[in-house]
Amino acid sequence: MKFEDMKIKDIKLAIRYCPDLSRWVAKNRSTHIIGINLSGKELHDFDYQKIMIEGTGIFFFNCRDDYAVEVLEKGLSYSIHFTTYEPVETDTFFIKTANVTEFYGILERIEKQLALSNGGKHLAYSDFYRLCAGFEEIRRKTYFKSDRRMLHAEEYIKLHFREADCLQALYKSCDISRRHFDTLFKKQFDMTPSRYILLQKIEYSKQLLQTPNLSIMEVAELCGFSDVYYFSKVFKAQTNLSPAAYRKSEHL
């Protein structure tokens, strides 16, 4: 199972961490670690690779990887320790990125949700997958060669995903066959264009659900869903919450 396909079994811990030691070794861990680095400088030696973690960035530590740490400059990180149902194939990674503000907000929500006694962990799972999606977007742009045509398609979808003919118009604007377009798009984003459009609609609906004066039907229409029942069905499939339950959760 690859990073982008992870299915979490349990979230064990959300922690803000500033190292007390200058050197230590982490072995035989039972949990994966995902999070953001906010400051400091540390050298992580994973035997098969050495990673310098410094400045702001995102990271994933596979639980199979033992490592030794040398702290060169004390700093702060914010991370989640979790388990999955199946082993994760993706190697440990650290990617420098200046924009971690959004991820910090998600981590804060997860930490608060884990502290809730009633249903908090289920809400944390939803935000955890949102965090992973954000990490995966950065990881793919960093490690995988981009096709300019597909980057154009991505931008087009982000502008027009609410329109009923979004995909058909996108096909017409390209000088390649529909089948070849779908193949290239899936290679670039690891999903079909239709699913990418659906996920854009779901993410937009989450924003609109935070507006209390909009009904669920109005949110569905504004996101490009002609059927409110279908909207509720796919929303719950993606978030494990109905739109109404998600709206309430945003005000916990």
Side-chain angles (χ1 to χ4, degrees), residues 20-38:
D20 295 323
L21 302 174
S22 59
R23 296 173 183 270
W24 74 90
V25 176
K27 288 187 175 182
N28 303 317
R29 293 178 297 110
S30 61
T31 59
H32 304 291
I33 306 173
I34 187 173
I36 58 175
N37 196 68
L38 298 168

Side-chain angles (χ1 to χ4, degrees), residues 95-178:
I95 302 172
K96 294 188 72 172
T97 176
N99 186 16
V100 296
T101 304
E102 178 185 357
F103 299 137
Y104 190 92
I106 296 174
L107 285 161
E108 277 194 318
R109 283 203 303 274
I110 292 174
E111 185 178 18
K112 291 176 182 178
Q113 289 160 351
L114 291 176
L116 296 174
S117 58
N118 185 21
K121 185 164 284 191
H122 292 292
L123 299 174
Y125 284 9
S126 177
D127 275 320
F128 178 86
Y129 283 119
R130 185 185 303 179
L131 182 73
C132 289
F135 277 32
E136 177 61 13
E137 183 177 357
I138 292 175
R139 191 177 76 93
R140 295 192 71 83
K141 289 180 178 178
T142 302
Y143 293 128
F144 300 97
K145 185 177 180 180
S146 298
D147 186 313
R148 289 185 179 180
R149 292 170 298 183
M150 296 303 103
L151 295 180
H152 165 73
E154 180 185 29
E155 291 302 318
Y156 184 90
I157 289 173
K158 287 182 176 180
L159 289 172
H160 301 280
F161 66 87
R162 289 169 288 176
E163 299 170 10
D165 65 343
C166 174
L167 187 54
Q168 298 304 319
L170 182 56
Y171 283 142
K172 290 180 180 179
S173 69
C174 297
D175 58 353
I176 56 178
S177 70
R178 182 177 301 188

Side-chain angles (χ1 to χ4, degrees), residues 136 140-141 150-151 153-154 184-192 196:
E136 177 61 13
R140 295 192 71 83
K141 289 180 178 178
M150 296 303 103
L151 295 180
E154 180 185 29
L184 291 175
F185 192 95
K186 189 169 184 179
K187 182 179 180 181
Q188 181 75 36
F189 300 106
D190 204 27
M191 66 181 74
T192 64
Y196 194 92

Side-chain angles (χ1 to χ4, degrees), residues 201-217:
K201 291 181 177 181
I202 295 299
E203 287 304 311
Y204 185 53
S205 70
K206 290 177 182 178
Q207 298 176 36
L208 295 180
L209 286 168
Q210 297 178 48
T211 305
N213 61 326
L214 289 176
S215 68
I216 302 298
M217 180 176 291

